Amino acid sequence: MRTAIYPGSFDPLTNGHLDVIQRAVKLFDRVIVAVAKNDGKQPLFTLDERFALVKKAVKHLPNVEADAFDGLLVEYVVSRKAQAIVRGLRAVSDFEFEFQLALMNRKLNENVETIFMMPKETYTFLSSRLVKEIARLGGDVGAFVPAHVQNALAKKFAGTKRS
Ligand code: ADP
């Protein structure tokens, strides 16, 4: 059983993340989308909210499950009996950080491989940060996130100043 962990903040999950998940599941028997607690990042959505949004988004995908984790990623990978970490690469700008992260994780556990997947070109410009910014300013994010994420964003920003 080949299992991959796709870790991230998913604050919130976007269609770019979903694209990576759908590609990864073609290579593995099981993909676990693991929402990181990430206190340092001051997320817009709580861990529970981010997890619930991911869970709903992958419900219809066979062999994909959602989970949440805290602490060291390589330890989580071992605890889930997984062999690999999947990360998405959008542009050169992602590379430096992802490269560093992958090599550090290898240093911590050399049995865990990191695999990079590139999304469909249309999603290469997409990030949770931009989606939040557009939603905050009242823009339409319907093309970038699933409908339930769009609703959650609308709720979060309801009543906030849009200028
Ligand atoms: P993190 O805070 O760990 O970077 P993110 O939720 O921002 O978490 O991203 C998780 C992973 O998904 C990262 O590897 C990131 O590069 C990748 N990713 C994010 N958005 C996209 C996208 N539009 N296309 C492909 N990969 C993406």
Side-chain angles (χ1 to χ4, degrees):
M1 178 97 158
R2 314 295 298 174
T3 301
I5 305 291
Y6 180 31
S9 311
F10 303 104
D11 184 39
L13 171 125
T14 69
N15 291 340
H17 293 130
L18 274 178
D19 183 277
V20 170
I21 293 165
Q22 276 159 331
R23 286 172 202 283
V25 83
K26 289 187 204 155
L27 301 178
F28 291 90
D29 302 309
R30 183 170 65 140
V31 172
I32 301 170
V33 185
V35 183
K37 191 160 177 240
N38 253 348
D39 281 333
K41 277 202 166 180
Q42 294 193 318
L44 172 68
F45 291 97
T46 66
L47 178 64
D48 286 350
E49 289 170 334
R50 287 180 279 137
F51 170 69
L53 293 174
V54 169
K55 193 169 178 190
K56 189 162 181 180
V58 302
K59 206 174 57 190
H60 67 289
L61 297 174
N63 308 322
V64 179
E65 68 176 81
D67 196 9
F69 78 103
D70 193 12
L72 216 47
L73 174 59
V74 284
E75 280 175 10
Y76 173 73
V77 172
V78 171
S79 78
R80 295 304 316 260
K81 298 186 170 45
Q83 293 79 26
I85 296 167
V86 168
R87 294 284 287 177
L89 267 192
R90 281 162 292 190
V92 184
S93 51
D94 275 339
F95 181 78
E96 178 121 23
F97 174 70
E98 293 293 341
F99 182 69
Q100 220 179 359
L101 195 68
L103 291 188
M104 182 53 80
N105 281 329
R106 180 182 286 168
K107 198 102 190 146
L108 295 171
N109 186 335
E110 62 180 21
N111 297 317
V112 175
E113 292 296 343
T114 300
I115 299 211
F116 294 104
M117 311 225 61
M118 274 160 290
K120 196 169 155 191
E121 308 84 77
T122 15
Y123 298 135
T124 51
F125 63 91
L126 193 52
S127 70
S128 299
R129 190 181 59 78
L130 267 184
V131 163
K132 282 182 282 191
E133 191 62 12
I134 296 165
R136 189 177 66 80
L137 297 169
D140 183 359
V141 294
F144 311 132
V145 296
H148 68 285
V149 174
Q150 185 176 16
N151 291 337
L153 281 163
K155 256 193 207 147
K156 266 286 173 208
F157 292 120
T160 61
K161 208 165 156 245
R162 287 179 170 177
S163 57

